[in-house]
């Protein structure tokens, strides 16, 4: 444990750490199998991809806002923006998993250089989404439990990854959109 954790928050932090690890394993496990399993829920979820892009775009705006607020010393505003980003990310994740468990994948049809650009963005997006997920959870836990030194240290790594994922998701959607 970090020595900057307020004593009154230690029990909460000890409860949240294993929850973050369980969530990480569960989410990454679901994402790993969602392309292999297709469920028939009696309705089409083809309307979700633009919602994914909107939610990710909102996360990007909220992350930039949260950074601006904390740089101005507005801790409450920063907390509110990060909370909203977490909610939008959770909504995205639920919609994304639901879509991919129920809908066949869409193949990218672009050719030439743009194909390489698309797959470079997509692969980096997927890898950084997986890596950033536990970092986002732990960075949030550190802030929420008053571990400010750890929060600042982790946020310097987490923020650019999370922002990159939030921006490249909609870019990949726009590039894939003609092939839906």
């Amino acid at each position: 444990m970090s020595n900057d954790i307020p004593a009154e928050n230690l029990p909460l932090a000890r409860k949240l750490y294993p929850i973050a690890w369980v969530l990480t394993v569960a989410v990454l496990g679901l994402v790993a199998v969602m392309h292999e399993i297709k469920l028939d829920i009696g309705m089409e979820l083809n309307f979700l991809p633009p919602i994914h892009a909107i939610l990710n775009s909102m996360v990007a705006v909220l992350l930039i806002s949260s950074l601006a607020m904390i740089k101005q010393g507005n801790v409450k505003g920063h907390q509110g923006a990060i909370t909203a980003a977490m909610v939008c990310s959770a909504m995205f994740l639920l919609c994304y998993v639901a879509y991919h468990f129920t809908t066949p994948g869409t193949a990218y049809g672009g050719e030439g250089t743009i194909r390489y650009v698309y797959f470079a963005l997509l692969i980096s997006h997927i890898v950084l989404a997986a890596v950033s997920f536990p970092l986002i959870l732990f960075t949030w836990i550190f802030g929420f439990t008053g571990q400010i030194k750890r929060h600042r240290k982790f946020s310097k790594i987490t923020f650019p990854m999370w922002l990159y994922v939030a921006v490249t998701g909609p870019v990949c959607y726009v590039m894939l959109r003609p092939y839906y």
Side-chain angles (χ1 to χ4, degrees):
M1 296 291 158
S2 175
N3 58 6
D4 75 331
I5 185 168
E8 67 273 10
N9 292 342
L10 187 59
L12 177 60
R14 286 186 174 152
K15 289 178 185 173
L16 291 175
Y17 295 150
I19 292 170
W21 283 119
V22 168
L23 276 174
T24 296
V25 170
V27 166
L28 295 180
L30 282 173
V31 170
V33 300
M34 69 186 179
H35 293 288
E36 306 302 319
I37 300 169
K38 294 301 172 213
L39 304 172
D40 182 1
I41 61 169
M43 66 180 285
E44 299 278 328
L45 297 181
N46 295 339
F47 63 92
L48 286 177
I51 293 171
H52 301 155
I54 291 166
L55 288 168
N56 264 328
S57 297
M58 291 171 59
V59 170
V61 169
L62 289 162
L63 288 173
I64 292 167
S65 298
S66 74
L67 179 64
M69 288 181 207
I70 201 64
K71 294 232 181 242
Q72 296 168 352
N74 182 353
V75 174
K76 291 288 185 200
H78 169 75
Q79 291 169 336
I82 286 297
T83 299
M86 295 281 287
V87 168
C88 287
S89 289
M91 289 171 47
F92 161 81
L93 189 56
L94 291 171
C95 290
Y96 183 80
V97 169
Y99 174 79
H100 283 286
F101 265 114
T102 60
T103 309
T106 302
Y108 182 72
E111 297 176 1
T113 304
I114 196 70
R115 184 172 184 82
Y116 295 107
V117 169
Y118 171 78
F119 282 109
L121 284 173
L122 181 64
I123 291 166
S124 63
H125 171 82
I126 291 168
V127 168
L128 288 176
V131 170
S132 68
F133 186 78
L135 293 174
I136 292 165
L137 295 176
F138 281 97
T139 302
W140 179 83
I141 290 169
F142 297 149
F144 188 73
T145 59
Q147 300 174 70
I148 303 307
K149 288 179 187 174
R150 285 181 109 183
H151 177 74
R152 286 181 182 150
K153 181 180 177 182
F154 268 66
S155 67
K156 289 177 181 170
I157 298 164
T158 305
F159 176 84
M161 277 197 271
W162 193 5
L163 183 60
Y164 180 85
V165 169
V167 169
T168 56
V171 170
C172 287
Y173 164 74
V174 168
M175 293 177 79
L176 187 62
R177 187 169 180 232
Y179 308 104
Y180 280 106

